[in-house]
Amino acid sequence: MAKKNKQTDAKAELEALGKQTRKAVEAVLAEVREVAEELRSRTSEVATSVAARTAPPVGSAVQTVDFWFDPICPWAWMTSRWMLEVELVRPVKTVFHVMSLSVLNDGRDISEDYRSMLAKGWAPVRVALAVEERYGQEQLRAFYTAIGTRIHLQQQGFGRDTIEGALTDVGLPSELADAGDAGDNDDALRASHHAGMDPVGYDVGTPVIHVGDVAFFGPVMSPAPKGEQAGQVYDGVVALASYEGFFELKRTRAVGPIFD
């Protein structure tokens, strides 16, 4: 009889332990479900935020911004990075075009050091034009990012090794660097240069931006704004440039360029 009572007590204890275990497991599962739901909610919020940042408003037309650059110009580089930020917060698509500081300063009274630099500056713009002509706008865009990163951020200079490295970075044949020495398409280079520069005037440099019928030099900035601030600067610049009577807004640059 005592043995039977012990068995009954053990069975009851096991049942009680089982109930406690089930309750503990259920409590843990409830916490897991709560955390999972919170994660889903946060993921949804992030996705919504990213979508709002990277996509233009529904029904809005994408505005084309034509951007002229010389790969060796640090100011054009920073302004181009700003435009890529603008694309994330405004319904804007930047189309890149090649201009040349070497063409711009041909025949001008400049220092010997600057003249020597510009003599080396022919190769990067010739190769950039060759990239656009043979592989299209998107590859020009990618090549500009690659060569600009090497020239301005990594301080590699703009010789043959830098050009070949940038071509390799974007999956283009390194032999395309030969276009930098050939100069057999300089007429097309000059045509691209003048298409961007002539509507703005003779006394400006790079970068040059066209938004529809509005063309202007700049903006020159250091460092480039990010996020919504980039969009606000874009709104202001385009609004100012759209007024025919506006021609200059400038202040002294204390330091720079600041790459970030």
Side-chain angles (χ1 to χ4, degrees):
M1 187 71 176
K3 184 177 181 180
K4 185 175 181 181
N5 288 338
K6 288 181 178 180
Q7 290 176 341
T8 301
D9 291 343
K11 183 178 180 181
E13 288 178 2
L14 286 174
E15 289 178 351
L17 181 61
K19 289 180 180 179
Q20 291 176 357
T21 302
R22 282 194 297 274
K23 288 182 178 179
V25 170
E26 289 173 357
V28 170
L29 289 175
E31 290 181 4
V32 170
R33 284 192 292 268
E34 185 177 344
V35 170
E37 183 60 34
E38 183 177 353
L39 286 174
R40 279 194 294 271
S41 176
R42 290 183 180 180
T43 301
S44 177
E45 290 175 1
V46 170
T48 301
S49 175
V50 170
R53 176 174 164 79
T54 59
V58 176
S60 63
V62 175
Q63 185 176 52
T64 297
V65 175
D66 292 287
F67 185 101
W68 272 262
F69 71 94
D70 184 318
I72 72 173
C73 177
W75 306 110
W77 168 254
M78 284 185 290
T79 304
S80 73
R81 300 309 93 181
W82 163 66
M83 281 306 309
L84 296 184
E85 283 287 314
V86 172
E87 289 185 344
L88 300 178
V89 295
R90 295 293 184 272
V92 164
K93 174 67 174 179
T94 309
V95 178
F96 290 97
H97 306 274
V98 181
M99 61 82 66
S100 169
L101 290 171
S102 302
V103 171
L104 181 69
N105 290 282
D106 188 24
R108 291 187 176 182
D109 183 17
I110 56 178
S111 70
E112 285 304 314
D113 288 344
Y114 194 53
R115 191 181 305 280
S116 175
M117 184 194 72
L118 293 179
K120 301 174 184 176
W122 283 100
V125 291
R126 285 168 173 167
V127 174
L129 184 68
V131 168
E132 181 181 21
E133 290 179 336
R134 300 181 197 183
Y135 296 96
Q137 169 61 210
E138 290 306 311
Q139 283 287 36
L140 172 63
R141 181 186 180 102
F143 174 71
Y144 181 29
T145 291
I147 195 170
T149 298
R150 286 175 172 268
I151 291 174
H152 304 298
L153 303 186
Q154 299 174 4
Q155 297 293 300
Q156 294 183 6
F158 40 92
R160 173 91 182 203
D161 290 346
T162 298
I163 295 172
E164 288 185 351
L167 290 167
T168 301
D169 290 342
V170 295
L172 295 176
S174 60
E175 295 80 8
L176 202 60
D178 293 341
D181 300 321
D184 54 3
N185 207 14
D186 282 355
D187 286 346
L189 174 60
R190 292 178 185 275
S192 177
H193 172 91
H194 287 291
M197 306 302 291
D198 289 355
V200 184
Y202 68 92
D203 59 345
V204 299
T206 178
V208 159
I209 290 176
H210 294 196
V211 182
D213 295 332
V214 178
F216 55 91
F217 162 66
V220 178
M221 52 186 64
S222 173
K226 304 291 192 297
E228 177 57 25
Q229 188 175 38
Q232 292 170 357
V233 172
Y234 174 79
D235 296 338
V237 167
V238 173
L240 279 175
S242 299
Y243 174 55
E244 189 174 357
F246 176 77
F247 62 92
E248 186 172 11
L249 177 66
K250 190 173 183 178
R251 59 185 170 188
T252 300
R253 173 170 52 91
V255 295
I258 300 171
F259 301 111
D260 61 349

